[in-house]
Amino acid sequence: MPLPKPPASRATILPNTAYESQAAPRSPRSGPKHGSTEQVERAPALELRNDAPLSAAPPLASKGLPTKALSRAAPKPAAVPKARKPKSSGPAKLFVLDTNVLMHDPMSLFRFDEHDIYLPMITLEELDGHKKGMSEVSRNVRQVSRDLDALAAASSTNGKFEPEHGIALGKTGHREAGGKLFFQTTFLDAKLPAGLPQGKADNQILGVVQSLRDAHPGREVVLVSKDINMRIKARALGLAAEDYFNDKTLEDGDLLYTGVLALPADFWDRHGKTMESWSQGGHTYYRITGPLVPSLMVNQFVFLETPGEAPLYARVSEITGKTAVLKTLRDYTHAKNAIWGVTARNREQNFALNLLMDPECDFITLTGTAGTGKTLMTLAAGLSQVMEDRRYTEIIVTRVTVPVGEDIGFLPGNEEEKMGPWMGALDDNLEVLAKSDTSAGEWGRAATNDLVRSKIKIKSLNFMRGRTFLNKFVLIDEAQNLTPKQMKTLITRAGPGTKIVCLGNLAQIDTPYLTEGSSGLTYAVDRFKGWPHSGHVTLARGERSRLADFASEVL
């Protein structure tokens, strides 16, 4: 903004019209652009000057303050918060939470969007009975108690708390929760069938749901419970009941990312016109554009097998805008590329070995049925990179200690000795890898076996909190039995130069309250897909024996 014209002679006072002409808004030569900084700053300055006449204002300009400083000092109008758009139409539902929902997910209070939550008094009593201990359930209960206490403290005025009006769930910073929390403060008399014992906690919760439905006929009252029998009883009484779905990563296990994509037969016709190709480091690269590119992900494997033509096996190495770069693979099915004496027997095993031997992949997940070679290939790749390439210092193996049948009691020995019975699969695969070395004699194989075992450390999952692994090859076996919270605990242990490999079969989950959709392995696969330093392969074909393959199909 230009300054007023200087006086013509010394000691001449500028007239007020000079300041008024500078303060008056000027019409711009060209229309201002939308969202420009000049327009944002000028609007509050005009509002500030219009509040009072210029004659009544003190002569700020005479004190050496330029007019632009006035516009900067003007207070900006407060931003009007946008109204939260509800995800569902109609009145908000009233969800009655069972105790097991809060035990399963302590953040479930804030997962119901704009709907309200009702907690029966018996639910709080059951929470109080499970708060002691060091188990994950006890930790979740204590977390729920802290959240409820924070909500009650944030809603109290002058030390008084009025729960009958409801507590806004977004008061503690959880903006995604737009509903209110209600506690049971009065006795609700419900008429349940005479055959139901009135003293049981589940039946008391059912009575609360029945009373709320009668008291609010125009509102949908829904019971949320992880207990299947509880939901069956509720539906038998004509009450609405649902499972808690927020813990499920996927509704259907068939929708899980497989890491492998079969290219259509007309792939070259639709993507080969503008394709670029070059060779580098023993690999061939193809830069493609076309309708298939938006559906691709980084480190996803693609293949094209056409009768009478050479097959294409490649991995998506880069995606930039509407173009993708495909990189051909190393053929680990050939004996010259054997890893610690192990060669790939099918297409998916070849994909998995390309991931396991890639130093740029820090996190790898392998899923598949029993006998697909997950543990054997991972151990072979780990030993090759620890013993031969010296890329990692040692192999760390861990797994969840969930028994298939009845527990046999405490195990003797130190940490590694206690984990010994759980590592039968490790011993079996090490025996196979030791027999693959036919050049050495009996003594040579025994010495190699001792050296290999000295590079493998078996650790328990219970002592992983706070650890950091540097330049380690971490193998997590039976990862389908991990919860998402346990999976996060293990993955965040990785330090510089560490590779983590998770193996599991989603059809063999032994942990209670875990399903294919809520397993920690499913959670990790879904969250890490598309990250440039991770990869996933679903192994489809078993290679253990014809008996194991047939049993997996028919049993």
Side-chain angles (χ1 to χ4, degrees):
M1 181 179 294
L3 295 175
K5 294 182 179 181
S9 60
R10 297 181 63 182
T12 302
I13 300 176
L14 289 176
N16 291 333
T17 57
Y19 300 108
E20 294 176 2
S21 62
Q22 298 297 321
R26 295 186 178 185
S27 59
R29 296 180 181 177
S30 60
K33 298 182 180 179
H34 293 287
S36 62
T37 309
E38 181 181 359
Q39 187 178 2
V40 174
E41 292 183 351
R42 189 175 296 171
L46 292 177
E47 293 178 3
L48 180 63
R49 290 183 176 87
N50 290 337
D51 291 340
L54 290 173
S55 59
L60 295 177
S62 62
K63 296 182 180 180
L65 292 176
T67 313
K68 193 171 184 180
L70 292 177
S71 64
R72 289 182 178 177
K76 295 184 179 180
V80 180
K82 294 183 179 180
R84 190 177 182 274
K85 185 178 179 180
K87 294 187 177 181
S88 63
S89 59
K93 299 179 182 179
L94 182 61
F95 288 102
V96 181
L97 298 191
D98 194 3
T99 314
N100 49 44
V101 175
L102 299 172
M103 291 178 178
H104 181 73
D105 183 9
M107 300 301 295
S108 59
L109 289 170
F110 313 102
R111 308 288 195 196
F112 290 88
D113 298 327
E114 72 274 9
H115 303 290
D116 297 335
I117 294 176
Y118 191 93
L119 290 184
M121 195 55 64
I122 188 62
T123 298
L124 299 178
E125 293 289 341
E126 287 189 313
L127 288 175
D128 186 67
H130 291 84
K131 66 182 180 182
K132 296 181 180 179
M134 297 302 296
S135 64
E136 185 176 358
V137 171
S138 302
R139 296 189 187 98
N140 292 343
V141 169
R142 291 192 290 269
Q143 180 63 43
V144 171
S145 301
R146 286 190 289 267
D147 290 338
L148 293 176
D149 181 65
L151 286 170
S155 301
S156 60
T157 55
N158 298 327
K160 295 181 179 180
F161 176 56
E162 299 178 354
E164 61 272 5
H165 299 298
I167 303 173
L169 290 168
K171 282 197 171 183
T172 54
H174 300 274
R175 297 181 179 179
E176 69 277 4
K180 291 185 177 181
L181 173 65
F182 295 91
F183 292 100
Q184 179 187 357
T185 56
T186 59
F187 175 73
L188 299 178
D189 188 12
K191 297 180 180 179
L192 291 176
L196 290 177
Q198 299 298 323
K200 193 173 181 180
D202 291 354
N203 298 333
Q204 294 184 30
I205 296 176
L206 291 175
V208 170
V209 177
Q210 178 71 44
S211 300
L212 290 174
R213 194 184 68 168
D214 297 339
H216 305 279
R219 194 175 188 185
E220 187 175 358
V221 181
V222 183
L223 170 66
V224 182
S225 176
K226 296 293 294 182
D227 189 355
I228 298 177
N229 294 328
M230 179 79 161
R231 299 198 300 268
I232 293 175
K233 288 197 294 184
R235 288 163 183 157
L237 296 173
L239 304 176
E242 294 180 3
D243 190 7
Y244 179 67
F245 297 105
N246 197 270
D247 62 327
K248 292 181 173 58
T249 305
L250 297 173
E251 293 294 333
D252 190 357
D254 296 335
L255 302 177
L256 184 63
Y257 172 67
T258 62
V260 180
L261 177 65
L263 298 176
D266 59 347
F267 172 74
W268 294 119
D269 298 334
R270 304 181 66 181
H271 299 78
K273 296 180 181 179
T274 59
M275 182 188 67
E276 303 176 14
S277 64
W278 68 93
S279 297
Q280 180 180 352
H283 300 276
T284 303
Y285 294 82
Y286 301 95
R287 178 175 281 110
I288 62 171
T289 57
L292 191 65
V293 173
S295 62
L296 298 177
M297 292 188 178
V298 179
N299 284 338
Q300 186 178 19
F301 292 94
V302 295
F303 67 93
L304 178 59
E305 296 175 342
T306 306
E309 298 182 6
L312 170 67
Y313 302 108
R315 183 173 64 172
V316 182
S317 61
E318 179 185 347
I319 296 179
T320 306
K322 298 181 180 180
T323 64
V325 178
L326 305 182
K327 175 184 176 183
T328 58
L329 307 178
R330 174 172 290 185
D331 185 15
Y332 286 103
T333 61
H334 200 280
K336 67 177 181 180
N337 294 326
I339 304 298
W340 205 262
V342 174
T343 57
R345 292 189 178 184
N346 55 53
R347 180 180 58 225
E348 285 77 16
Q349 285 189 355
N350 188 29
F351 295 162
L353 285 175
N354 274 273
L355 280 179
L356 292 169
M357 298 301 295
D358 187 359
E360 293 299 322
C361 283
D362 300 332
F363 181 73
I364 299 171
T365 51
L366 301 179
T367 60
T369 59
T372 50
K374 303 183 295 294
T375 308
L376 182 65
M377 288 189 302
T378 305
L379 270 179
L383 289 174
S384 175
Q385 296 174 87
V386 169
M387 307 291 291
E388 296 176 357
D389 301 339
R390 304 299 177 99
R391 188 175 297 158
Y392 309 103
T393 56
E394 62 182 3
I395 300 175
I396 294 179
V397 184
T398 185
R399 60 165 291 176
V400 185
T401 55
V402 179
V404 178
E406 293 292 334
D407 200 347
I408 61 175
F410 292 100
L411 299 173
N414 54 22
E415 177 188 1
E416 190 160 343
E417 292 172 348
K418 290 179 183 294
M419 291 294 296
W422 300 100
M423 292 299 169
L426 175 66
D427 297 332
D428 298 340
N429 287 281
L430 285 178
E431 184 178 353
V432 174
L433 294 175
K435 290 182 179 179
S436 62
D437 187 10
T438 58
S439 60
E442 187 72 22
W443 291 98
R445 283 196 296 269
T448 303
N449 194 20
D450 292 342
L451 181 60
V452 164
R453 289 186 176 275
S454 66
K455 291 294 183 179
I456 299 177
K457 304 295 182 182
I458 301 174
K459 300 296 180 182
S460 174
L461 182 68
N462 301 331
F463 309 106
M464 288 295 180
R465 184 78 71 184
R467 296 200 59 181
T468 301
F469 298 129
L470 303 176
N471 297 319
K472 302 288 195 284
F473 189 95
V474 183
L475 192 157
I476 305 174
D477 201 8
E478 303 295 336
Q480 76 275 3
N481 290 321
L482 289 169
T483 64
K485 188 175 181 181
Q486 292 172 332
M487 180 66 75
K488 179 181 178 180
T489 301
L490 286 177
I491 297 175
T492 52
R493 301 304 100 209
T498 293
K499 182 194 289 286
I500 295 182
V501 183
C502 295
L503 313 177
N505 180 12
L506 291 173
Q508 295 180 351
I509 296 180
D510 303 318
T511 304
Y513 306 114
L514 275 187
T515 61
E516 293 184 18
S518 60
S519 171
L521 182 59
T522 305
Y523 180 75
V525 171
D526 186 71
R527 290 297 189 272
F528 276 91
K529 63 181 180 182
W531 188 48
H533 301 287
S534 69
H536 170 72
V537 175
T538 299
L539 302 171
R541 180 180 171 185
E543 299 290 347
R544 179 170 290 170
S545 66
R546 57 190 179 188
L547 173 60
D549 296 343
F550 185 72
S552 299
E553 295 176 1
V554 301
L555 295 182

